[in-house]
mmCIF file of all heavy atoms in Angstrom:
data_model
loop_
_atom_site.group_PDB
_atom_site.id
_atom_site.type_symbol
_atom_site.label_atom_id
_atom_site.label_comp_id
_atom_site.label_asym_id
_atom_site.label_seq_id
_atom_site.Cartn_x
_atom_site.Cartn_y
_atom_site.Cartn_z
ATOM 1 N N SER I 2 8.874 7.208 -17.208
ATOM 2 C CA SER I 2 10.051 6.859 -17.990
ATOM 3 C C SER I 2 10.823 5.754 -17.281
ATOM 4 O O SER I 2 10.859 5.697 -16.058
ATOM 5 C CB SER I 2 10.954 8.078 -18.156
ATOM 6 O OG SER I 2 12.182 7.702 -18.721
ATOM 7 N N ARG I 15 13.438 6.432 -2.439
ATOM 8 C CA ARG I 15 12.525 5.646 -1.608
ATOM 9 C C ARG I 15 13.249 5.039 -0.412
ATOM 10 O O ARG I 15 12.707 4.988 0.690
ATOM 11 C CB ARG I 15 11.873 4.539 -2.430
ATOM 12 C CG ARG I 15 10.999 5.008 -3.553
ATOM 13 C CD ARG I 15 9.842 5.874 -3.108
ATOM 14 N NE ARG I 15 8.953 5.162 -2.207
ATOM 15 C CZ ARG I 15 7.779 5.645 -1.784
ATOM 16 N NH1 ARG I 15 7.386 6.854 -2.188
ATOM 17 N NH2 ARG I 15 7.019 4.966 -0.962
ATOM 18 N N VAL I 27 12.472 -10.020 -9.386
ATOM 19 C CA VAL I 27 13.226 -9.831 -10.619
ATOM 20 C C VAL I 27 12.799 -10.897 -11.619
ATOM 21 O O VAL I 27 12.809 -12.088 -11.303
ATOM 22 C CB VAL I 27 14.748 -9.928 -10.372
ATOM 23 C CG1 VAL I 27 15.504 -9.770 -11.692
ATOM 24 C CG2 VAL I 27 15.208 -8.882 -9.372
ATOM 25 N N GLY I 28 12.427 -10.466 -12.825
ATOM 26 C CA GLY I 28 12.060 -11.428 -13.856
ATOM 27 C C GLY I 28 11.007 -10.873 -14.784
ATOM 28 O O GLY I 28 10.586 -9.719 -14.660
ATOM 29 N N ILE I 65 3.740 -4.113 -17.501
ATOM 30 C CA ILE I 65 3.957 -3.131 -16.437
ATOM 31 C C ILE I 65 2.716 -2.260 -16.263
ATOM 32 O O ILE I 65 2.273 -1.996 -15.135
ATOM 33 C CB ILE I 65 5.188 -2.265 -16.751
ATOM 34 C CG1 ILE I 65 6.462 -3.103 -16.652
ATOM 35 C CG2 ILE I 65 5.276 -1.069 -15.795
ATOM 36 C CD1 ILE I 65 7.714 -2.396 -17.138
ATOM 37 N N GLU I 66 2.133 -1.837 -17.369
ATOM 38 C CA GLU I 66 0.941 -1.002 -17.295
ATOM 39 C C GLU I 66 -0.222 -1.767 -16.672
ATOM 40 O O GLU I 66 -0.973 -1.220 -15.848
ATOM 41 C CB GLU I 66 0.581 -0.507 -18.695
ATOM 42 C CG GLU I 66 1.596 0.484 -19.262
ATOM 43 C CD GLU I 66 1.329 0.848 -20.709
ATOM 44 O OE1 GLU I 66 0.389 0.262 -21.304
ATOM 45 O OE2 GLU I 66 2.051 1.708 -21.251
ATOM 46 N N ALA I 67 -0.374 -3.041 -17.044
ATOM 47 C CA ALA I 67 -1.470 -3.844 -16.502
ATOM 48 C C ALA I 67 -1.316 -4.046 -14.997
ATOM 49 O O ALA I 67 -2.286 -3.912 -14.230
ATOM 50 C CB ALA I 67 -1.527 -5.194 -17.208
ATOM 51 N N LEU I 84 10.165 -1.001 -12.071
ATOM 52 C CA LEU I 84 11.388 -0.384 -12.567
ATOM 53 C C LEU I 84 11.712 -0.737 -14.006
ATOM 54 O O LEU I 84 12.651 -0.177 -14.579
ATOM 55 C CB LEU I 84 12.571 -0.773 -11.673
ATOM 56 C CG LEU I 84 12.388 -0.533 -10.173
ATOM 57 C CD1 LEU I 84 13.670 -0.844 -9.438
ATOM 58 C CD2 LEU I 84 11.945 0.892 -9.903
ATOM 59 N N VAL I 89 21.579 -7.103 -16.973
ATOM 60 C CA VAL I 89 21.956 -8.243 -16.135
ATOM 61 C C VAL I 89 23.163 -7.897 -15.265
ATOM 62 O O VAL I 89 23.254 -8.326 -14.106
ATOM 63 C CB VAL I 89 22.260 -9.474 -17.020
ATOM 64 C CG1 VAL I 89 22.809 -10.616 -16.172
ATOM 65 C CG2 VAL I 89 21.007 -9.913 -17.753
ATOM 66 N N ALA I 99 17.787 -5.206 -1.429
ATOM 67 C CA ALA I 99 16.590 -5.893 -0.927
ATOM 68 C C ALA I 99 16.783 -6.454 0.477
ATOM 69 O O ALA I 99 17.897 -6.765 0.904
ATOM 70 C CB ALA I 99 16.203 -7.021 -1.876
ATOM 71 N N LYS I 115 16.645 -17.314 -11.500
ATOM 72 C CA LYS I 115 16.841 -16.240 -10.529
ATOM 73 C C LYS I 115 16.999 -16.766 -9.107
ATOM 74 O O LYS I 115 17.571 -16.094 -8.257
ATOM 75 C CB LYS I 115 15.693 -15.245 -10.584
ATOM 76 C CG LYS I 115 14.334 -15.794 -10.242
ATOM 77 C CD LYS I 115 13.312 -14.662 -10.136
ATOM 78 C CE LYS I 115 11.903 -15.143 -10.388
ATOM 79 N NZ LYS I 115 11.623 -15.184 -11.853
ATOM 80 N N LEU I 120 19.594 -16.691 -3.897
ATOM 81 C CA LEU I 120 20.285 -17.361 -2.799
ATOM 82 C C LEU I 120 21.712 -16.855 -2.654
ATOM 83 O O LEU I 120 22.200 -16.637 -1.544
ATOM 84 C CB LEU I 120 20.282 -18.869 -3.024
ATOM 85 C CG LEU I 120 18.924 -19.574 -2.969
ATOM 86 C CD1 LEU I 120 19.064 -21.030 -3.399
ATOM 87 C CD2 LEU I 120 18.305 -19.486 -1.584
ATOM 88 N N LEU I 145 8.947 -20.889 2.400
ATOM 89 C CA LEU I 145 8.093 -21.527 1.407
ATOM 90 C C LEU I 145 6.639 -21.407 1.834
ATOM 91 O O LEU I 145 6.289 -21.766 2.961
ATOM 92 C CB LEU I 145 8.476 -22.991 1.239
ATOM 93 C CG LEU I 145 9.866 -23.249 0.644
ATOM 94 C CD1 LEU I 145 10.185 -24.747 0.662
ATOM 95 C CD2 LEU I 145 9.969 -22.698 -0.771
ATOM 96 N N LEU I 160 8.620 -12.813 7.937
ATOM 97 C CA LEU I 160 9.949 -12.316 7.588
ATOM 98 C C LEU I 160 10.143 -10.873 8.041
ATOM 99 O O LEU I 160 11.222 -10.496 8.491
ATOM 100 C CB LEU I 160 10.174 -12.411 6.080
ATOM 101 C CG LEU I 160 10.364 -13.823 5.516
ATOM 102 C CD1 LEU I 160 10.379 -13.790 3.999
ATOM 103 C CD2 LEU I 160 11.647 -14.452 6.046
ATOM 104 N N SER I 161 9.093 -10.082 7.945
ATOM 105 C CA SER I 161 9.205 -8.672 8.313
ATOM 106 C C SER I 161 9.393 -8.486 9.811
ATOM 107 O O SER I 161 9.966 -7.487 10.250
ATOM 108 C CB SER I 161 7.958 -7.901 7.856
ATOM 109 O OG SER I 161 6.828 -8.222 8.663
ATOM 110 N N SER I 165 16.414 -11.771 12.597
ATOM 111 C CA SER I 165 17.228 -12.983 12.741
ATOM 112 C C SER I 165 16.786 -14.069 11.767
ATOM 113 O O SER I 165 17.626 -14.820 11.246
ATOM 114 C CB SER I 165 17.152 -13.508 14.182
ATOM 115 O OG SER I 165 15.823 -13.841 14.533
ATOM 116 N N ARG I 167 15.365 -13.552 8.779
ATOM 117 C CA ARG I 167 15.846 -13.147 7.458
ATOM 118 C C ARG I 167 17.337 -13.418 7.316
ATOM 119 O O ARG I 167 17.797 -13.918 6.287
ATOM 120 C CB ARG I 167 15.552 -11.657 7.208
ATOM 121 C CG ARG I 167 14.081 -11.299 7.136
ATOM 122 C CD ARG I 167 13.862 -9.935 6.499
ATOM 123 N NE ARG I 167 14.615 -8.871 7.155
ATOM 124 C CZ ARG I 167 14.193 -8.195 8.218
ATOM 125 N NH1 ARG I 167 13.015 -8.496 8.774
ATOM 126 N NH2 ARG I 167 14.917 -7.218 8.746
ATOM 127 N N GLN I 175 23.025 -18.620 0.914
ATOM 128 C CA GLN I 175 24.314 -18.245 0.352
ATOM 129 C C GLN I 175 25.344 -19.354 0.564
ATOM 130 O O GLN I 175 26.145 -19.654 -0.331
ATOM 131 C CB GLN I 175 24.793 -16.945 0.985
ATOM 132 C CG GLN I 175 25.990 -16.320 0.299
ATOM 133 C CD GLN I 175 26.292 -14.947 0.852
ATOM 134 O OE1 GLN I 175 26.550 -14.791 2.052
ATOM 135 N NE2 GLN I 175 26.275 -13.936 -0.011
ATOM 136 N N LEU I 184 32.404 -21.560 -8.387
ATOM 137 C CA LEU I 184 33.498 -22.062 -9.213
ATOM 138 C C LEU I 184 34.346 -23.046 -8.425
ATOM 139 O O LEU I 184 34.782 -24.081 -8.953
ATOM 140 C CB LEU I 184 34.365 -20.892 -9.692
ATOM 141 C CG LEU I 184 35.611 -21.272 -10.516
ATOM 142 C CD1 LEU I 184 35.210 -22.033 -11.768
ATOM 143 C CD2 LEU I 184 36.407 -20.017 -10.862
ATOM 144 N N GLY I 200 41.397 -43.440 -11.615
ATOM 145 C CA GLY I 200 41.471 -44.657 -10.815
ATOM 146 C C GLY I 200 40.844 -45.838 -11.522
ATOM 147 O O GLY I 200 41.364 -46.961 -11.498
ATOM 148 N N ASP I 205 41.440 -50.889 -14.788
ATOM 149 C CA ASP I 205 41.161 -51.611 -16.020
ATOM 150 C C ASP I 205 42.450 -52.034 -16.712
ATOM 151 O O ASP I 205 42.573 -53.148 -17.218
ATOM 152 C CB ASP I 205 40.310 -50.751 -16.971
ATOM 153 C CG ASP I 205 38.893 -50.561 -16.457
ATOM 154 O OD1 ASP I 205 38.478 -51.347 -15.586
ATOM 155 O OD2 ASP I 205 38.204 -49.639 -16.935
#
Side-chain angles (χ1 to χ4, degrees):
S2 171
R15 297 300 299 188
V27 178
I65 291 172
E66 292 173 356
L84 308 185
V89 173
K115 62 172 155 276
L120 294 172
L145 294 174
L160 288 172
S161 73
S165 61
R167 295 197 305 274
Q175 191 172 59
L184 177 60
D205 290 342

